[in-house]
């Protein structure tokens, strides 16, 4: 005669199907298996998702550059490629030990972020990375185009964009919004090519060097403005503050100064 089965799993599974203990055990077992499968899928898919995001950003960069008048010829003259460099924002020059390959790992370290004081944080970021990957086009030994990633707070959430700045470091060559959460049909129009077409030729600063760029509340009235979007004043203000922050002293200001002096 067989002795009692001391295996607790087999004893639970041998219980009648209407047993509350068996029901709870099976539900727990299924949830553990599902959680393991979801976690495994997340780990496996993360590199694929990162690669897809990178490919989408590259496509937007290509579209932005190709939409700039005369840029195709500049790219052809330079070999058709933008150089990529990671910038130390505080120093305004290329980072010493951070490269595009290890940038993500570097930014996982909280020490590589700068907390922004309320008076500084006009873009609503809270904190700013110390290192940013940018894209440059050179004409002989001078920078003729700089593509600078931007981010800030809009009406519905975070706005990400890439600003193309001409070699004088004062004139927009273009702007591409890469991500936003603004209201469709209102602030969401910032992703439309017709609105972004107002940026080329817009100037950031006046003759005294003061940063004057802004999104107007209506039609633009000068070289430092782009047209506002009807019913989306807060989105326009968010774009204004985003550009002013990143082109100011706590963003790309030191880099822009270095390029203007011919030191980059």
């Amino acid at each position: 005669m067989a002795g009692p089965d001391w295996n607790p799993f087999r004893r639970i599974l041998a219980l009648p199907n209407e047993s509350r203990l068996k029901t709870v055990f099976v539900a727990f077992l299924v949830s553990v298996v599902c959680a393991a499968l979801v976690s495994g899928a997340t780990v496996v898919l993360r590199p694929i998702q990162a690669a897809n995001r990178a490919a989408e950003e590259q496509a937007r960069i290509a579209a932005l550059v190709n939409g700039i008048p005369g840029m195709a010829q500049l790219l052809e003259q330079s070999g058709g490629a933008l150089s990529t460099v990671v910038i130390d924002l505080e120093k305004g020059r290329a980072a010493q030990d951070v490269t595009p390959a290890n940038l993500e790992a570097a930014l996982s370290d909280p020490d590589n972020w700068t907390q922004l004081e309320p008076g500084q944080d006009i873009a609503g970021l809270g904190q700013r990375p110390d290192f940013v990957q940018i894209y440059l086009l050179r004409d002989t030994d001078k920078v003729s185009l700089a593509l600078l990633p931007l981010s800030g707070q809009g009406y519905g959430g975070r706005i990400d964009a890439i600003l193309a700045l001409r070699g004088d470091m004062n004139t927009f060559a273009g702007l591409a919004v890469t991500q936003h959460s603004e209201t469709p049909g209102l602030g969401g129009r910032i992703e439309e090519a017709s609105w972004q077409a107002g940026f080329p030729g817009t100037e950031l600063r006046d003759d005294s060097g003061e940063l004057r760029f802004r999104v107007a509340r209506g039609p633009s009235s000068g070289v430092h403005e782009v047209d506002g979007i009807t019913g989306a004043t807060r989105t326009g203000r968010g774009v204004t503050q985003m550009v002013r922050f990143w082109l100011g002293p706590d963003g790309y200001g030191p880099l822009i100064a270095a390029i203007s002096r011919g030191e980059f």
Side-chain angles (χ1 to χ4, degrees), residues 57 61 64 89 123 125 127-129 132-135 146-153 157-165 172 174-180 190 195 199 204 211 213 215 238-248 250-253 255-256:
E57 181 169 287
I61 289 172
L64 172 61
L89 287 176
L125 296 171
Q127 58 181 354
R128 181 220 68 190
V132 177
Q133 178 175 316
I134 69 167
Y135 310 87
L147 270 60
L148 309 175
L150 313 177
S151 57
Q153 191 71 18
R158 180 184 171 106
I159 298 173
D160 293 325
I162 298 172
L163 181 154
L165 200 59
F172 278 90
L175 180 96
V177 174
T178 58
Q179 181 176 309
H180 71 87
I190 60 174
W195 184 72
F199 280 82
L204 290 166
L211 192 57
F213 167 81
V215 177
V239 173
T240 297
Q241 299 296 71
M242 175 177 70
V243 171
R244 288 187 175 186
F245 172 81
W246 283 103
L247 278 298
D250 297 308
Y252 297 113
L255 170 67
I256 290 172

Side-chain angles (χ1 to χ4, degrees), residues 189-198:
R189 290 181 56 203
I190 60 174
E191 68 181 7
E192 296 178 1
S194 58
W195 184 72
Q196 295 177 20

Side-chain angles (χ1 to χ4, degrees), residues 111-128:
D111 289 339
N112 288 328
W113 290 76
T114 295
Q115 297 295 321
L116 299 171
E117 298 295 330
Q120 297 174 287
D121 192 18
I122 61 174
L125 296 171
Q127 58 181 354
R128 181 220 68 190

Side-chain angles (χ1 to χ4, degrees), residues 72-82 137-138:
Q73 291 85 349
L74 284 174
L75 286 173
E76 185 176 351
Q77 293 168 8
S78 66
L82 294 161
L137 180 67
R138 293 184 181 274

Side-chain angles (χ1 to χ4, degrees), residues 36-52:
L37 290 173
V38 170
S39 297
T42 300
V43 172
V44 171
L45 293 175
R46 186 175 294 133
I48 298 174
Q49 293 169 340
N52 287 341

